[in-house]
Amino acid sequence: MARPRFKRILLKLSGEAAMGDQDFGIEPETVARVASEVKAAKDAGYELCLVIGGGNIFRGMAGAAKGMDRATADYMGMLATVMNALAMQDALEHLGVETRVQSAIPMASVCEPYIRRRAERHLEKGRVVIFAAGTGSPYFTTDSGAALRAAEMKCDALFKGTSVDGVYDADPKKVPTARRYETLDFKRVLSDDLKVMDASAVALCRDNNIPIVVFSIREKGNLAKVLAGEGVSTIVQNEEQS
Ligand code: UDP
């Protein structure tokens, strides 16, 4: 199947992508490496939106499990995503890539608030827009934030960079015979509860016909390859699109 041509994409990375070999936090060299992947994609002519999770710093569920109020813990998680967004902005600007961070929770002295029309203008001017603070609401994840922004910004696809090179029928780290899917239907992902993104994010992409491309961000040069339809990945889309 020929892969559709994408122009504007949203790249979703989990906070772990900023962590490197550490157990926690931000490793500047790792962020710099990921930033060079983003630059390569930018240089290839794509319009790029970025969403980075916060799991390397704080996850609301973990706080709630230890007795914190869930909403309070989730707000802390959203603040963690702002830190990651600023780290990525810094790394990208070191490489000469113009960026703007827009936060769903306004914090005027740190970054811009999320304003869709302004984000559109940044993209038109060739800037990479990093959307921080997820949806701005607790009880969501940055996967849902990424799907929401992808829909609002009319992205052609959502690229989910993970530590695995696609979606498998079993955990490839545990089952040596696990098989990677080349393509998958949204319905199947939801009915079989396949681990792509959380269900609300998958449903939002399904309803708005936004394909999800799952690929490994760990492999050097992979983002540009996958964007060109060459690298290893799994594409999730509505059946009639394939
Ligand atoms: N979060 C939230 N609402 C959102 C996005 C994120 O409450 O719209 C909180 C939530 O607590 C989550 C944390 O921010 O655990 C970090 O985001 P996520 O777990 O999605 O990060 P990732 O797993 O991608 O690193």
Side-chain angles (χ1 to χ4, degrees), residues 12-17 52-56 58-62 70-71 73-81 84 133-145 160 198:
K12 160 76 209 304
L13 301 172
S14 70
E16 282 164 16
I52 311 168
N56 55 323
F58 196 83
R59 273 210 177 87
M61 291 280 259
R70 170 72 192 270
D74 277 343
Y75 280 113
M76 289 171 67
M78 286 184 259
L79 295 179
T81 73
N84 284 335
T135 61
S137 298
Y139 298 96
F140 285 97
T141 64
T142 50
D143 278 358
S144 297
K160 161 110 176 165
D198 54 54

Side-chain angles (χ1 to χ4, degrees), residues 27-75:
E27 188 178 64
E29 306 83 71
T30 304
V31 180
R33 193 194 63 73
V34 177
S36 68
E37 296 282 306
V38 174
K39 182 183 185 324
K42 180 89 219 23
D43 291 346
Y46 293 95
E47 290 180 351
L48 281 165
C49 307
L50 241 68
V51 168
I52 311 168
N56 55 323
I57 300 170
F58 196 83
R59 273 210 177 87
M61 291 280 259
K66 289 184 181 152
M68 282 188 77
D69 172 68
R70 170 72 192 270
T72 303
D74 277 343
Y75 280 113

Side-chain angles (χ1 to χ4, degrees), residues 86-117:
L86 293 178
M88 180 55 73
Q89 174 172 50
D90 183 73
L92 282 168
E93 298 212 325
H94 268 106
L95 297 174
V97 180
E98 250 204 275
T99 65
R100 291 291 186 273
V101 174
Q102 289 201 344
S103 170
I105 298 173
M107 41 184 102
S109 40
V110 175
C111 59
E112 293 182 3
Y114 172 62
I115 299 172
R116 186 179 63 85
R117 284 171 184 276

